[in-house]
């Protein structure tokens, strides 16, 4: 099954492609060097309705569902953008959904609407220096004191953490490590909340990543998302769309690298003949294309089922692993086919090779996906 190709989705692809061509490609190399994308890009994307795709109009979004978000992600990468760009520009895809699901008008007005309008940037902070896979083991502690929580702890590897105006933060409210989690929206500038250094990374260079520290940070109870101690469930429920986004980034990166490698192999001659005329090279490209296409088809199938409200936690985990495995294989083979040029910063394939490595780590590692799959088959 494939995502139904409606006239609206064709338009959405064209809109996305035009946006990437005009607003991203001329600047992407500079943003990679700067370590972040400019805030103005969020406003530009919001103005044309791209930023709000997948969020209902009643909260300031542009409408559409998970499948439309997938179309945007696919098209960004296939137009020459990158998974790093998706991470930086669409961080709200992980920072806002819990607020939207909880339906608190005050939080929606203060954070969701301005973020979808491109005037605020949000981040999601779950991972801690002591560990990210074990979400129930979160130690950042929020003690209730009147109409405020007093938050102490730290988070790390937080996407858009340097630029974020607010952070949707997972805290525990009973005992550190007890698994009784809540989500608090913590604003930049709140006394005791400090953003640490910019973390240097292998890839995703245009996406800023930060450590966050909370020392006696007073957060109003009104900034809690949903009832107390429902945070773990809220986080798990939203993991499906984050994991499918990462899976989409993986197969779209693979598809883009197949295209780049095929073009290169048609143009590059060795020993008097184009590389693409050699059976070994043709078969290698055929295998790369097959893996990317198979991953795309499976991720689309699972995404359709998620969008239809089916309980497919195991399938989401399998979709992420299938797409990441396809991507890992393809980026490596595509770089190899480029020869020495593939190793240079000037080669687009070099960026995808570096960017791809995070996809099997973020949003739950390949090993954690395998744990979910093992449980799903009754082990
Ligand atoms: C660029 C980047 C951006 C990120 N953005 C965000 C963000 O915006 N917000 C956020 O909250 N986090 C973010 N993360 C964190 C990411 O989600 C975590 O790195 C990831 O969940 C893994 O957690 P960890 O690094 O603590 O590894 P650990 O949990 O310490 O795991 C280390 C290794 O052990 C394996 N492992 C762990 N438990 C088991 C087990 N039971 N069985 C077998 N193997 C196991 C893991 O698979 C991994 O290979 C980001 C990370 C990076 C690098």
């Amino acid at each position: 099954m494939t995502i139904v190709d409606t006239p609206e989705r064709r338009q959405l692809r064209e809109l996305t492609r035009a946006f990437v061509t005009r607003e991203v490609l001329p600047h992407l190399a500079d943003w990679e060097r700067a370590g972040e994308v400019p805030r103005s890009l969020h406003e530009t994307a919001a103005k044309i309705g791209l930023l709000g795709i997948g969020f209902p109009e009643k909260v300031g979004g542009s409408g559409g569902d998970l499948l439309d978000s997938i179309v945007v992600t696919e098209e960004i990468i296939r137009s020459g953008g990158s998974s790093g760009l998706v991470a930086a520009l669409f961080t709200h895809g992980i920072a806002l959904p819990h607020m939207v699901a909880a339906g608190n008008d005050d939080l929606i007005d203060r954070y969701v609407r301005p973020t979808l309008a491109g005037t605020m940037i949000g981040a999601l902070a779950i991972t801690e220096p002591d560990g990210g896979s074990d979400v129930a083991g979160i130690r950042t502690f929020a003690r209730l004191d009147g109409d405020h929580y007093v938050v102490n702890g730290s988070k790390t590897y937080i996407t858009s953490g340097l630029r974020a105006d607010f952070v949707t933060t997972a805290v525990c409210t009973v005992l550190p490590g007890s698994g009784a989690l809540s989500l608090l929206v913590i604003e930049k500038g709140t006394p005791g909340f400090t953003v640490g250094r910019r973390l240097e990374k292998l890839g995703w260079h245009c996406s800023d990543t930060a450590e966050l520290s909370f020392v006696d940070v007073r957060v109003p109870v009104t900034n809690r998302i949903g009832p107390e101690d429902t945070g773990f469930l809220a986080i798990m429920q939203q993991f499906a769309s984050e994991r499918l986004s990462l899976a989409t980034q993986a197969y779209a990166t693979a598809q883009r690298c197949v295209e780049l490698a095929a073009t290169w192999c048609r143009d590059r001659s060795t020993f008097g003949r184009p590389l693409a005329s050699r059976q070994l090279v043709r078969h290698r490209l055929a295998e790369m294309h097959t893996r990317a296409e198979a991953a795309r088809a499976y991720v689309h199938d699972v995404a359709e089922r998620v969008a239809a409200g089916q309980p497919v936690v195991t399938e989401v985990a399998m979709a992420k692993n299938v797409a990441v495995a396809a991507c890992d294989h393809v980026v490596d083979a595509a770089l190899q086919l480029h020869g020495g040029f593939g190793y240079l910063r000037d080669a687009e394939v070099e960026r995808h090779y570096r960017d791809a490595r995070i996809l099997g780590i973020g949003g739950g590692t390949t090993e954690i996906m395998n744990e979910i799959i093992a449980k799903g088959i009754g082990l």
Side-chain angles (χ1 to χ4, degrees):
M1 195 189 291
T2 187
I3 291 180
V4 180
D5 190 22
T6 59
E8 291 78 15
R9 291 206 177 115
R10 275 200 290 279
Q11 266 181 2
L12 187 57
R13 284 190 193 281
E14 278 166 30
L15 179 80
T16 308
R17 186 164 278 269
F19 168 77
V20 172
T21 306
R22 202 175 48 240
E23 306 292 345
V24 173
L25 296 187
H27 311 291
L28 188 53
D30 290 340
W31 299 338
E32 289 273 306
R33 276 189 291 274
E36 60 185 47
V37 301
R39 297 182 80 92
S40 58
L41 188 69
H42 293 250
E43 288 187 51
T44 310
K47 275 193 189 113
I48 60 167
L50 211 55
L51 214 58
I53 292 291
F55 287 88
E57 289 174 29
K58 64 174 190 235
V59 302
S62 313
D65 60 11
L66 173 68
L67 307 180
D68 297 291
S69 301
I70 285 178
V71 164
V72 171
T73 302
E74 270 182 11
E75 212 53 41
I76 285 180
I77 295 171
R78 282 159 49 178
S79 315
S82 67
S83 57
L85 180 85
V86 173
L89 185 57
F90 291 85
T91 318
H92 61 279
I94 55 174
L96 299 182
H98 321 83
M99 274 186 254
V100 176
N104 177 317
D105 287 340
D106 174 49
L107 294 180
I108 288 170
D109 286 344
R110 285 193 287 143
Y111 302 110
V112 177
R113 288 181 198 285
T115 305
L116 296 177
T119 55
M120 262 189 155
I121 292 174
L124 173 69
I126 296 176
T127 307
E128 302 190 341
D130 280 347
S133 300
D134 182 10
V135 174
I138 279 174
R139 307 193 66 77
T140 297
F141 185 55
R143 174 176 55 85
L144 195 58
D145 180 26
D147 55 3
H148 281 73
Y149 287 101
V150 180
V151 179
N152 283 283
S154 54
K155 300 286 179 181
T156 193
Y157 316 140
I158 304 308
T159 298
S160 296
L162 283 138
R163 298 178 307 141
D165 302 295
F166 66 88
V167 182
T168 299
T169 311
V171 296
C172 64
T173 40
V174 180
L175 278 175
S178 64
L181 305 185
S182 296
L183 289 169
L184 301 180
V185 184
I186 306 184
E187 287 192 19
K188 185 179 260 177
T190 311
F193 171 23
T194 48
V195 177
R197 68 197 165 90
R198 181 185 301 274
L199 300 175
E200 302 286 336
K201 309 185 292 298
L202 172 69
W204 276 16
H205 285 177
C206 68
S207 169
D208 56 298
T209 312
E211 288 172 333
L212 313 177
S213 155
F214 307 96
V215 178
D216 291 334
V217 180
R218 293 186 70 80
V219 181
V221 170
T222 47
N223 274 27
R224 191 187 64 221
I225 301 171
E228 194 166 272
D229 299 342
T230 58
F232 186 78
L233 185 64
I235 291 167
M236 292 302 141
Q237 282 168 343
Q238 299 306 333
F239 263 149
S241 53
E242 179 178 1
R243 287 172 183 161
L244 285 173
S245 171
L246 290 160
T248 304
Q249 292 169 46
Y251 73 72
T253 298
Q255 287 179 312
R256 175 71 178 172
C257 286
V258 173
E259 269 178 40
L260 292 170
T263 304
W264 172 268
C265 292
R266 278 191 207 98
D267 294 347
R268 180 77 171 176
S269 285
T270 63
F271 302 95
R273 273 168 50 191
L275 278 174
S277 69
R278 309 214 176 251
Q279 192 178 47
L280 182 81
V281 171
R282 297 164 64 77
H283 284 198
R284 174 156 266 218
L285 285 165
E287 273 175 28
M288 290 157 65
H289 176 66
T290 306
R291 290 192 197 214
E293 275 301 293
R296 181 195 58 77
Y298 186 57
V299 175
H300 279 197
D301 177 57
V302 174
E304 296 251 14
R305 291 156 72 184
V306 169
Q310 292 177 23
V312 285
V313 177
T314 309
E315 288 79 358
V316 168
M318 292 194 288
K320 183 168 187 280
N321 279 3
V322 163
V324 166
C327 184
D328 285 348
H329 173 86
V330 170
V331 291
D332 185 69
L335 191 147
Q336 186 72 13
L337 285 167
H338 278 73
F341 182 60
Y343 199 67
L344 299 192
R345 276 289 142 92
D346 285 346
E348 185 184 327
V349 73
E350 185 261 2
R351 173 162 46 77
H352 292 306
Y353 180 85
R354 288 182 291 101
D355 283 356
R357 194 60 186 84
I358 183 60
L359 301 174
I361 297 172
T365 63
T366 300
E367 292 76 14
I368 295 302
M369 295 305 100
N370 277 335
E371 272 301 303
I372 294 170
I373 297 161
K375 277 193 197 122
I377 57 173
L379 294 170

